Amino acid sequence: PNASKLVKHFNNIIKNPGFAFGMLIATHDWRNSQLHLVNEIGDPYIRNYQAIGSGQDCANMFCSSIRHGETNMYEFTKRAYIAIEYMNQCRPDLFVGLEPNGTPMIRFLDYKKEWDEEPQPDQMKEFKEYAVDKMTDFDKSLKSFNVRYS
């Protein structure tokens, strides 16, 4: 309720037709984690998956087909990493991309822990290699059609 009021109040203050503020909130209670979207008019919704921001459409291309309950966070993160890598390389106009160290900011929330954590360095390496391999395949596919995107 407080988040809904805050979103409504903030959007009433800015009153900019080209911009709307929303909020994505994760709650975590053992194995009962939930993702809450508060849209720009303050209506709350529970979601299994939700991309937000300027890269929402691109993220959905890679991640929205993942089935809730059938994919763990580790496998989901591989897809999310590819989406971020794609936006970094092919859609820099979205201003979604990598941190100064060349990797996206990723956090896991283990159901047994109270706070989220960064993936281990070997996991980040695996995500990066997976994304590079998939982007290389993508690039080869486009080149076979003489398509240029960069």
Side-chain angles (χ1 to χ4, degrees):
N2 290 336
S4 294
K5 289 178 187 176
L6 177 65
V7 168
K8 286 179 190 177
H9 181 70
F10 187 75
N11 283 318
N12 282 334
I13 290 171
I14 58 172
K15 294 183 182 175
N16 183 341
F19 176 81
F21 177 76
M23 190 179 293
L24 196 59
I25 304 166
T27 59
H28 179 64
D29 182 20
W30 189 243
R31 288 187 183 263
N32 188 24
S33 297
Q34 292 183 325
L35 187 62
H36 303 263
L37 171 70
V38 181
N39 69 13
E40 60 275 356
I41 59 172
D43 293 335
Y45 299 94
I46 294 175
R47 298 281 196 234
N48 291 326
Y49 161 81
Q50 183 68 49
I52 60 172
S54 61
Q56 179 176 358
D57 291 338
C58 283
N60 285 339
M61 289 187 327
F62 293 91
C63 300
S64 64
S65 65
I66 294 173
R67 298 178 136 201
H68 179 69
E70 295 179 19
T71 303
N72 61 31
M73 283 302 298
Y74 188 79
E75 292 300 319
F76 175 81
T77 303
K78 286 182 177 179
R79 291 246 197 129
Y81 199 116
I82 294 167
I84 294 167
E85 190 70 45
Y86 171 84
M87 287 182 261
N88 187 60
Q89 291 182 29
C90 304
R91 293 295 312 274
D93 59 304
L94 297 175
F95 301 102
V96 174
L98 307 177
E99 295 291 310
N101 68 358
T103 62
M105 182 189 297
I106 297 173
R107 300 289 184 269
F108 288 139
L109 183 56
D110 188 307
Y111 70 90
K112 296 177 187 174
K113 297 181 181 175
E114 184 175 359
W115 299 104
D116 54 356
E117 300 174 341
E118 292 183 32
Q120 297 297 315
D122 60 323
Q123 292 173 318
M124 289 298 289
K125 181 180 177 192
E126 182 181 345
F127 299 149
K128 175 73 173 178
E129 289 171 354
Y130 184 80
V132 167
D133 288 348
K134 294 297 182 186
M135 287 300 296
T136 300
D137 292 346
F138 177 69
D139 190 49
K140 287 178 184 174
S141 294
L142 288 179
K143 284 181 179 174
S144 72
F145 291 103
N146 292 320
V147 174
R148 295 183 187 177
Y149 60 89
S150 56

